[in-house]
Amino acid sequence: MAEPILMPALSPTMEEGTLSKWLVKEGDTISPGQVIAEIETDKATMDFEAVDEGVIEKILIPEGTEGVKVRTPIAQMKGDGGASNPPPASKASGGDGSGEAAPVGATPPPKSAPAPTAEHKNGARVHASPLAKRLAEQAGIDISGLKGSGPNGRVIKSDIEAAKSSPRAAPQQAPAVQQAAPQQARANLPDTPKPSTPALPYKEGEYTLEKMDGMRKAIARRMTQSFRDVPHFPLTIDVEIDKLLTARKQLNARLESQSVKLSVNDMLIRACALSLIKVPAANVSFAGDAIMKHKHAHVAVAVAIEGGLVTPVIFYADQKGLSQISTEVKALAEKAHARKLMPQDYEGGTFTISNLGMMGIRNFNSILNEPQAMILSVGAGEQRPVVKDGALQIATMMSMTLTCDHRAVDGAIGAEYLNALRTFIEDPMMMMA
């Protein structure tokens, strides 16, 4: 009996993707763990692995097809008729399989073989595969707190692996159900209407049209949604960074033997994280009818790559030293440029920093990166005339603009946060305490 293989959801926010390449053809026999296709999401190209053994009976969606909706049948497989075919694990194309996402699966289980279940704390039942139950027990993970990505919400192996590999699974972190609140709140808002092609007042032959890829489409959709739906306001300050630059130079001299070279941005990330802890009212997210207060600072860093912008996260930045932050930023930037970021690399930030100073931009406003309630726009450091103790002097100044979600952060809270940030930047020894 032929069963459908469905387009997987390779991240919680994925709605559609491009079926880049088939690695099998009709009539091929496939086995568990075999990569059968490459799927391009808005962030990366992922390998799509089979779980069960069977024969590809028919390919329904040809390779190169864009905009394939999640859970759309992309092929038919004829299995052995006995085992169910839950969703496969996935990994970044060309990777070593160390980062697995939690896709929605290939083939749903037959009605005659209902998915195994595990007890919930409150007595309810949650669907889970036997393998997922065993792996959860071995890892000490409460399976009742996970949202399954398999058929009918079943918890599968890739869900357990994602929970194990994600820093957000740390015991100090809020429960998984609580973390999902912003996404649930977003789901209640209307979808962004798909724009129609406008009538262009330009002469035919005097321009070219470049079709947007999945990343560009996702950016357009999310930024339109955020700018339209979130009541936001900017707060701008100027900070003196001469002491920060001196501290950076001294630290780099000490770290030279360790092949670590700190950037101004690395120091700003730590300053932002410490400021979030110092002003907890600013480290929040809007969650519908509640304000989610985060216990730690997970700082997302805007990275410009070909075709768009991604925001990998430095998790627990408030607990990490400058060397570790610098090392992680460089590693994530390399993964971003190679289009190999996994969902656990860019989801779960509580704050974003976007720095265009290296491009000579003095001042700019950023659009909020929901569900985060604040984003900091950092301009170039430049020498400017300033007045100190009634005398005119020259100092290296940097302009920063904090964009705030007014539903969760008021002006006074935003101003308190910026004052705390100024303290860490203008007295960098405070960051070493």
CSV table of all heavy atoms in Angstrom, one decimal, residues 242-297:
chain,number,residue,atom,x,y,z
A,242,ASP,N,35.8,55.7,24.3
A,242,ASP,CA,37.2,55.7,24.4
A,242,ASP,C,37.8,54.7,25.4
A,242,ASP,O,38.7,54.0,25.1
A,242,ASP,CB,37.7,57.1,24.7
A,242,ASP,CG,37.6,58.1,23.6
A,242,ASP,OD1,38.1,57.8,22.5
A,242,ASP,OD2,36.9,59.1,23.7
A,243,LYS,N,37.2,54.6,26.5
A,243,LYS,CA,37.6,53.6,27.5
A,243,LYS,C,37.4,52.2,27.0
A,243,LYS,O,38.2,51.3,27.3
A,243,LYS,CB,36.9,53.8,28.9
A,243,LYS,CG,37.4,55.1,29.6
A,243,LYS,CD,36.7,55.2,30.9
A,243,LYS,CE,37.2,56.5,31.7
A,243,LYS,NZ,36.5,56.6,33.0
A,244,LEU,N,36.3,52.0,26.3
A,244,LEU,CA,36.0,50.7,25.7
A,244,LEU,C,37.0,50.3,24.7
A,244,LEU,O,37.5,49.1,24.7
A,244,LEU,CB,34.6,50.7,25.1
A,244,LEU,CG,34.1,49.3,24.5
A,244,LEU,CD1,33.5,48.5,25.7
A,244,LEU,CD2,33.0,49.5,23.5
A,245,LEU,N,37.4,51.2,23.9
A,245,LEU,CA,38.4,50.9,22.9
A,245,LEU,C,39.8,50.6,23.5
A,245,LEU,O,40.5,49.7,23.1
A,245,LEU,CB,38.6,52.1,21.9
A,245,LEU,CG,37.3,52.4,21.0
A,245,LEU,CD1,37.6,53.6,20.2
A,245,LEU,CD2,37.0,51.2,20.1
A,246,THR,N,40.1,51.3,24.6
A,246,THR,CA,41.4,51.1,25.3
A,246,THR,C,41.4,49.7,25.9
A,246,THR,O,42.4,49.0,25.9
A,246,THR,CB,41.6,52.2,26.4
A,246,THR,OG1,41.7,53.5,25.7
A,246,THR,CG2,42.9,51.9,27.1
A,247,ALA,N,40.2,49.4,26.6
A,247,ALA,CA,40.1,48.1,27.2
A,247,ALA,C,40.2,46.9,26.2
A,247,ALA,O,40.9,45.9,26.4
A,247,ALA,CB,38.8,48.0,28.0
A,248,ARG,N,39.6,47.1,25.0
A,248,ARG,CA,39.7,46.1,24.0
A,248,ARG,C,41.1,45.9,23.5
A,248,ARG,O,41.5,44.8,23.3
A,248,ARG,CB,38.8,46.6,22.8
A,248,ARG,CG,38.9,45.7,21.6
A,248,ARG,CD,38.0,46.2,20.4
A,248,ARG,NE,38.2,45.5,19.2
A,248,ARG,CZ,39.0,45.9,18.2
A,248,ARG,NH1,39.5,47.1,18.3
A,248,ARG,NH2,39.1,45.2,17.1
A,249,LYS,N,41.8,47.0,23.3
A,249,LYS,CA,43.2,46.9,22.9
A,249,LYS,C,44.1,46.1,23.9
A,249,LYS,O,44.9,45.2,23.6
A,249,LYS,CB,43.8,48.3,22.7
A,249,LYS,CG,45.2,48.3,22.1
A,249,LYS,CD,45.7,49.7,21.8
A,249,LYS,CE,47.1,49.7,21.3
A,249,LYS,NZ,47.6,51.1,21.0
A,250,GLN,N,43.9,46.4,25.2
A,250,GLN,CA,44.6,45.7,26.3
A,250,GLN,C,44.3,44.2,26.3
A,250,GLN,O,45.1,43.4,26.5
A,250,GLN,CB,44.4,46.4,27.6
A,250,GLN,CG,44.9,47.9,27.7
A,250,GLN,CD,44.5,48.6,28.9
A,250,GLN,OE1,43.6,48.2,29.6
A,250,GLN,NE2,45.1,49.7,29.2
A,251,LEU,N,43.0,44.0,26.2
A,251,LEU,CA,42.5,42.6,26.3
A,251,LEU,C,43.0,41.8,25.1
A,251,LEU,O,43.5,40.6,25.3
A,251,LEU,CB,41.0,42.5,26.4
A,251,LEU,CG,40.4,42.9,27.7
A,251,LEU,CD1,38.9,43.1,27.6
A,251,LEU,CD2,40.7,41.9,28.8
A,252,ASN,N,43.0,42.3,24.0
A,252,ASN,CA,43.5,41.6,22.8
A,252,ASN,C,45.0,41.3,22.9
A,252,ASN,O,45.5,40.3,22.4
A,252,ASN,CB,43.2,42.4,21.5
A,252,ASN,CG,41.8,42.2,21.0
A,252,ASN,OD1,41.2,41.2,21.3
A,252,ASN,ND2,41.2,43.2,20.3
A,253,ALA,N,45.7,42.2,23.5
A,253,ALA,CA,47.2,42.0,23.7
A,253,ALA,C,47.4,40.7,24.6
A,253,ALA,O,48.3,39.9,24.4
A,253,ALA,CB,47.8,43.2,24.3
A,254,ARG,N,46.5,40.6,25.6
A,254,ARG,CA,46.6,39.5,26.5
A,254,ARG,C,46.1,38.2,25.9
A,254,ARG,O,46.6,37.1,26.2
A,254,ARG,CB,45.8,39.8,27.8
A,254,ARG,CG,46.3,40.9,28.6
A,254,ARG,CD,45.5,41.1,29.9
A,254,ARG,NE,45.9,42.3,30.7
A,254,ARG,CZ,45.3,42.6,31.8
A,254,ARG,NH1,44.3,41.9,32.3
A,254,ARG,NH2,45.8,43.7,32.4
A,255,LEU,N,45.2,38.3,25.0
A,255,LEU,CA,44.5,37.1,24.4
A,255,LEU,C,45.2,36.7,23.1
A,255,LEU,O,44.8,35.7,22.5
A,255,LEU,CB,43.1,37.4,24.1
A,255,LEU,CG,42.2,37.6,25.4
A,255,LEU,CD1,40.8,38.1,25.0
A,255,LEU,CD2,42.1,36.3,26.2
A,256,GLU,N,46.3,37.4,22.7
A,256,GLU,CA,46.9,37.1,21.4
A,256,GLU,C,47.4,35.6,21.3
A,256,GLU,O,47.2,35.0,20.3
A,256,GLU,CB,48.0,38.0,21.2
A,256,GLU,CG,48.6,37.9,19.8
A,256,GLU,CD,49.7,39.0,19.5
A,256,GLU,OE1,50.0,39.8,20.4
A,256,GLU,OE2,50.3,39.0,18.4
A,257,SER,N,47.9,35.1,22.4
A,257,SER,CA,48.4,33.7,22.4
A,257,SER,C,47.3,32.7,22.3
A,257,SER,O,47.6,31.6,22.0
A,257,SER,CB,49.2,33.5,23.7
A,257,SER,OG,48.4,33.6,24.9
A,258,GLN,N,46.1,33.1,22.6
A,258,GLN,CA,44.9,32.2,22.5
A,258,GLN,C,44.2,32.3,21.2
A,258,GLN,O,43.1,31.7,21.0
A,258,GLN,CB,44.0,32.5,23.7
A,258,GLN,CG,44.6,32.4,25.1
A,258,GLN,CD,43.6,32.7,26.2
A,258,GLN,OE1,42.4,32.6,26.0
A,258,GLN,NE2,44.1,33.3,27.3
A,259,SER,N,44.7,33.1,20.3
A,259,SER,CA,44.1,33.3,19.0
A,259,SER,C,42.7,33.8,19.1
A,259,SER,O,41.8,33.5,18.3
A,259,SER,CB,44.1,32.0,18.2
A,259,SER,OG,45.4,31.5,18.0
A,260,VAL,N,42.5,34.6,20.1
A,260,VAL,CA,41.2,35.3,20.2
A,260,VAL,C,41.4,36.8,20.0
A,260,VAL,O,42.3,37.4,20.6
A,260,VAL,CB,40.6,35.1,21.7
A,260,VAL,CG1,39.3,35.9,21.9
A,260,VAL,CG2,40.3,33.6,21.9
A,261,LYS,N,40.5,37.4,19.2
A,261,LYS,CA,40.6,38.8,18.9
A,261,LYS,C,39.2,39.4,19.1
A,261,LYS,O,38.3,39.1,18.3
A,261,LYS,CB,41.1,39.1,17.5
A,261,LYS,CG,41.4,40.6,17.3
A,261,LYS,CD,42.0,40.8,15.9
A,261,LYS,CE,42.3,42.3,15.7
A,261,LYS,NZ,42.9,42.6,14.4
A,262,LEU,N,39.1,40.2,20.2
A,262,LEU,CA,37.8,40.7,20.5
A,262,LEU,C,37.4,41.9,19.6
A,262,LEU,O,38.3,42.7,19.2
A,262,LEU,CB,37.8,41.3,22.0
A,262,LEU,CG,38.1,40.3,23.1
A,262,LEU,CD1,38.1,41.0,24.4
A,262,LEU,CD2,37.1,39.1,23.1
A,263,SER,N,36.2,42.0,19.2
A,263,SER,CA,35.7,43.1,18.4
A,263,SER,C,34.9,44.0,19.4
A,263,SER,O,34.5,43.6,20.5
A,263,SER,CB,34.8,42.6,17.3
A,263,SER,OG,33.6,42.1,17.8
A,264,VAL,N,34.6,45.2,18.9
A,264,VAL,CA,33.7,46.1,19.7
A,264,VAL,C,32.4,45.5,19.8
A,264,VAL,O,31.7,45.6,20.9
A,264,VAL,CB,33.6,47.5,19.0
A,264,VAL,CG1,32.5,48.3,19.6
A,264,VAL,CG2,35.0,48.2,19.0
A,265,ASN,N,31.9,44.8,18.8
A,265,ASN,CA,30.6,44.2,18.9
A,265,ASN,C,30.5,43.1,20.0
A,265,ASN,O,29.5,42.9,20.6
A,265,ASN,CB,30.2,43.6,17.5
A,265,ASN,CG,28.7,43.6,17.2
A,265,ASN,OD1,28.1,44.6,17.5
A,265,ASN,ND2,28.2,42.5,16.8
A,266,ASP,N,31.6,42.3,20.1
A,266,ASP,CA,31.7,41.3,21.2
A,266,ASP,C,31.4,41.9,22.6
A,266,ASP,O,30.7,41.4,23.4
A,266,ASP,CB,33.0,40.6,21.2
A,266,ASP,CG,33.3,39.8,19.9
A,266,ASP,OD1,32.3,39.4,19.3
A,266,ASP,OD2,34.4,39.6,19.5
A,267,MET,N,32.1,43.1,22.8
A,267,MET,CA,32.0,43.8,24.0
A,267,MET,C,30.6,44.4,24.2
A,267,MET,O,30.0,44.4,25.3
A,267,MET,CB,33.0,44.8,24.2
A,267,MET,CG,34.4,44.3,24.0
A,267,MET,SD,35.8,45.5,24.3
A,267,MET,CE,35.7,45.7,26.1
A,268,LEU,N,30.0,44.8,23.1
A,268,LEU,CA,28.6,45.4,23.2
A,268,LEU,C,27.6,44.3,23.5
A,268,LEU,O,26.6,44.5,24.2
A,268,LEU,CB,28.2,46.0,21.9
A,268,LEU,CG,29.0,47.3,21.5
A,268,LEU,CD1,28.5,47.9,20.2
A,268,LEU,CD2,28.8,48.4,22.6
A,269,ILE,N,27.8,43.1,23.0
A,269,ILE,CA,26.9,41.9,23.3
A,269,ILE,C,26.9,41.7,24.8
A,269,ILE,O,25.8,41.5,25.4
A,269,ILE,CB,27.4,40.7,22.5
A,269,ILE,CG1,27.1,40.9,21.0
A,269,ILE,CG2,26.6,39.4,23.0
A,269,ILE,CD1,27.7,39.8,20.1
A,270,ARG,N,28.1,41.6,25.4
A,270,ARG,CA,28.1,41.4,26.8
A,270,ARG,C,27.5,42.5,27.6
A,270,ARG,O,26.8,42.3,28.6
A,270,ARG,CB,29.6,41.2,27.3
A,270,ARG,CG,29.7,41.0,28.8
A,270,ARG,CD,30.9,40.2,29.2
A,270,ARG,NE,31.1,40.2,30.7
A,270,ARG,CZ,30.4,39.4,31.5
A,270,ARG,NH1,29.5,38.6,31.0
A,270,ARG,NH2,30.6,39.4,32.8
A,271,ALA,N,27.8,43.7,27.2
A,271,ALA,CA,27.2,44.9,27.8
A,271,ALA,C,25.7,44.9,27.8
A,271,ALA,O,24.9,45.2,28.7
A,271,ALA,CB,27.7,46.2,27.2
A,272,CYS,N,25.1,44.5,26.6
A,272,CYS,CA,23.7,44.4,26.4
A,272,CYS,C,23.1,43.3,27.3
A,272,CYS,O,22.0,43.5,27.9
A,272,CYS,CB,23.3,44.1,24.9
A,272,CYS,SG,23.6,45.5,23.8
A,273,ALA,N,23.8,42.2,27.4
A,273,ALA,CA,23.3,41.1,28.2
A,273,ALA,C,23.3,41.4,29.7
A,273,ALA,O,22.3,41.2,30.4
A,273,ALA,CB,24.2,39.8,28.0
A,274,LEU,N,24.4,42.0,30.2
A,274,LEU,CA,24.4,42.4,31.6
A,274,LEU,C,23.4,43.5,31.9
A,274,LEU,O,22.8,43.5,33.0
A,274,LEU,CB,25.8,42.9,31.9
A,274,LEU,CG,26.9,41.9,31.9
A,274,LEU,CD1,28.3,42.6,32.1
A,274,LEU,CD2,26.7,40.8,32.8
A,275,SER,N,23.1,44.4,31.0
A,275,SER,CA,22.1,45.4,31.2
A,275,SER,C,20.7,44.8,31.3
A,275,SER,O,19.8,45.3,32.0
A,275,SER,CB,22.1,46.4,30.0
A,275,SER,OG,23.4,47.1,30.0
A,276,LEU,N,20.4,43.7,30.5
A,276,LEU,CA,19.1,43.0,30.6
A,276,LEU,C,18.9,42.4,31.9
A,276,LEU,O,17.8,42.4,32.5
A,276,LEU,CB,19.0,42.0,29.5
A,276,LEU,CG,18.9,42.5,28.1
A,276,LEU,CD1,19.1,41.3,27.1
A,276,LEU,CD2,17.6,43.1,27.8
A,277,ILE,N,20.0,41.9,32.5
A,277,ILE,CA,19.9,41.3,33.9
A,277,ILE,C,19.7,42.4,34.9
A,277,ILE,O,19.0,42.3,35.9
A,277,ILE,CB,21.1,40.5,34.2
A,277,ILE,CG1,21.3,39.3,33.2
A,277,ILE,CG2,21.1,39.9,35.6
A,277,ILE,CD1,20.0,38.4,33.0
A,278,LYS,N,20.4,43.5,34.7
A,278,LYS,CA,20.3,44.7,35.7
A,278,LYS,C,19.0,45.3,35.6
A,278,LYS,O,18.5,45.8,36.6
A,278,LYS,CB,21.4,45.7,35.3
A,278,LYS,CG,21.5,46.8,36.4
A,278,LYS,CD,22.7,47.7,36.1
A,278,LYS,CE,22.8,48.8,37.1
A,278,LYS,NZ,24.0,49.7,36.9
A,279,VAL,N,18.3,45.3,34.4
A,279,VAL,CA,17.0,45.9,34.3
A,279,VAL,C,16.1,44.8,33.8
A,279,VAL,O,15.7,44.7,32.6
A,279,VAL,CB,17.0,47.1,33.3
A,279,VAL,CG1,15.7,47.8,33.3
A,279,VAL,CG2,18.1,48.1,33.6
A,280,PRO,N,15.6,43.9,34.7
A,280,PRO,CA,14.8,42.8,34.3
A,280,PRO,C,13.5,43.1,33.6
A,280,PRO,O,13.0,42.4,32.8
A,280,PRO,CB,14.6,42.0,35.6
A,280,PRO,CG,14.8,43.0,36.7
A,280,PRO,CD,15.9,43.9,36.1
A,281,ALA,N,13.0,44.3,33.9
A,281,ALA,CA,11.7,44.7,33.3
A,281,ALA,C,11.9,44.9,31.8
A,281,ALA,O,10.9,45.0,31.0
A,281,ALA,CB,11.2,46.0,33.9
A,282,ALA,N,13.1,45.0,31.3
A,282,ALA,CA,13.4,45.2,29.8
A,282,ALA,C,13.6,43.9,29.2
A,282,ALA,O,13.5,43.8,27.9
A,282,ALA,CB,14.6,46.1,29.6
A,283,ASN,N,13.9,42.8,29.9
A,283,ASN,CA,14.2,41.5,29.3
A,283,ASN,C,12.9,40.7,29.3
A,283,ASN,O,12.7,39.7,30.0
A,283,ASN,CB,15.2,40.8,30.2
A,283,ASN,CG,15.8,39.6,29.5
A,283,ASN,OD1,15.8,39.5,28.3
A,283,ASN,ND2,16.3,38.6,30.3
A,284,VAL,N,12.0,41.1,28.4
A,284,VAL,CA,10.6,40.6,28.3
A,284,VAL,C,10.2,40.3,26.9
A,284,VAL,O,10.8,40.8,26.0
A,284,VAL,CB,9.6,41.5,29.1
A,284,VAL,CG1,10.0,41.6,30.5
A,284,VAL,CG2,9.6,42.9,28.4
A,285,SER,N,9.1,39.6,26.8
A,285,SER,CA,8.4,39.4,25.5
A,285,SER,C,6.9,39.6,25.7
A,285,SER,O,6.4,39.2,26.7
A,285,SER,CB,8.7,38.0,24.9
A,285,SER,OG,10.1,37.9,24.6
A,286,PHE,N,6.3,40.1,24.7
A,286,PHE,CA,4.8,40.2,24.7
A,286,PHE,C,4.2,38.9,24.4
A,286,PHE,O,4.5,38.3,23.3
A,286,PHE,CB,4.3,41.3,23.7
A,286,PHE,CG,2.8,41.4,23.6
A,286,PHE,CD1,2.1,42.0,24.6
A,286,PHE,CD2,2.1,40.9,22.5
A,286,PHE,CE1,0.7,42.1,24.5
A,286,PHE,CE2,0.8,41.0,22.4
A,286,PHE,CZ,0.1,41.6,23.4
A,287,ALA,N,3.4,38.4,25.2
A,287,ALA,CA,2.8,37.0,25.0
A,287,ALA,C,1.3,37.0,25.1
A,287,ALA,O,0.7,36.4,25.9
A,287,ALA,CB,3.4,36.0,26.1
A,288,GLY,N,0.7,37.8,24.3
A,288,GLY,CA,-0.8,37.9,24.2
A,288,GLY,C,-1.4,38.6,25.4
A,288,GLY,O,-1.3,39.8,25.5
A,289,ASP,N,-1.9,37.9,26.4
A,289,ASP,CA,-2.5,38.5,27.6
A,289,ASP,C,-1.5,38.5,28.8
A,289,ASP,O,-1.9,38.6,29.9
A,289,ASP,CB,-3.8,37.9,28.0
A,289,ASP,CG,-3.7,36.4,28.2
A,289,ASP,OD1,-2.6,35.8,28.0
A,289,ASP,OD2,-4.7,35.8,28.6
A,290,ALA,N,-0.3,38.3,28.5
A,290,ALA,CA,0.7,38.2,29.6
A,290,ALA,C,2.1,38.8,29.1
A,290,ALA,O,2.3,38.9,27.9
A,290,ALA,CB,1.0,36.7,30.0
A,291,ILE,N,2.9,39.1,30.0
A,291,ILE,CA,4.3,39.6,29.7
A,291,ILE,C,5.2,38.4,30.2
A,291,ILE,O,5.2,38.1,31.3
A,291,ILE,CB,4.6,40.9,30.5
A,291,ILE,CG1,3.7,42.0,30.1
A,291,ILE,CG2,6.1,41.3,30.2
A,291,ILE,CD1,3.7,42.4,28.6
A,292,MET,N,6.0,37.9,29.3
A,292,MET,CA,7.0,36.8,29.6
A,292,MET,C,8.3,37.5,30.0
A,292,MET,O,8.9,38.2,29.3
A,292,MET,CB,7.2,36.0,28.3
A,292,MET,CG,8.2,34.8,28.6
A,292,MET,SD,8.4,33.8,27.1
A,292,MET,CE,6.8,33.0,27.1
A,293,LYS,N,8.6,37.2,31.3
A,293,LYS,CA,9.9,37.7,31.9
A,293,LYS,C,11.0,36.7,31.8
A,293,LYS,O,10.8,35.6,32.4
A,293,LYS,CB,9.6,38.1,33.3
A,293,LYS,CG,8.6,39.3,33.5
A,293,LYS,CD,8.4,39.7,34.9
A,293,LYS,CE,7.4,40.9,35.0
A,293,LYS,NZ,7.3,41.3,36.4
A,294,HIS,N,12.0,37.0,31.1
A,294,HIS,CA,13.1,36.0,30.9
A,294,HIS,C,14.1,36.0,32.0
A,294,HIS,O,14.4,37.1,32.5
A,294,HIS,CB,13.8,36.3,29.5
A,294,HIS,CG,12.9,36.3,28.4
A,294,HIS,ND1,12.3,35.1,27.9
A,294,HIS,CD2,12.4,37.3,27.6
A,294,HIS,CE1,11.5,35.4,26.8
A,294,HIS,NE2,11.5,36.7,26.6
A,295,LYS,N,14.6,34.9,32.4
A,295,LYS,CA,15.6,34.8,33.5
A,295,LYS,C,17.0,35.0,33.0
A,295,LYS,O,17.9,35.2,33.8
A,295,LYS,CB,15.4,33.4,34.1
A,295,LYS,CG,14.1,33.2,34.8
A,295,LYS,CD,14.0,31.8,35.4
A,295,LYS,CE,12.6,31.5,36.0
A,295,LYS,NZ,12.6,30.2,36.6
A,296,HIS,N,17.2,34.8,31.7
A,296,HIS,CA,18.6,35.0,31.2
A,296,HIS,C,18.6,35.9,30.0
A,296,HIS,O,17.5,36.1,29.4
A,296,HIS,CB,19.2,33.6,30.9
A,296,HIS,CG,19.4,32.8,32.1
A,296,HIS,ND1,20.5,32.9,32.9
A,296,HIS,CD2,18.6,31.8,32.6
A,296,HIS,CE1,20.4,32.0,33.9
A,296,HIS,NE2,19.3,31.3,33.7
A,297,ALA,N,19.7,36.3,29.5
A,297,ALA,CA,19.9,37.2,28.4
A,297,ALA,C,20.4,36.3,27.2
A,297,ALA,O,21.5,35.9,27.2
A,297,ALA,CB,20.8,38.3,28.6
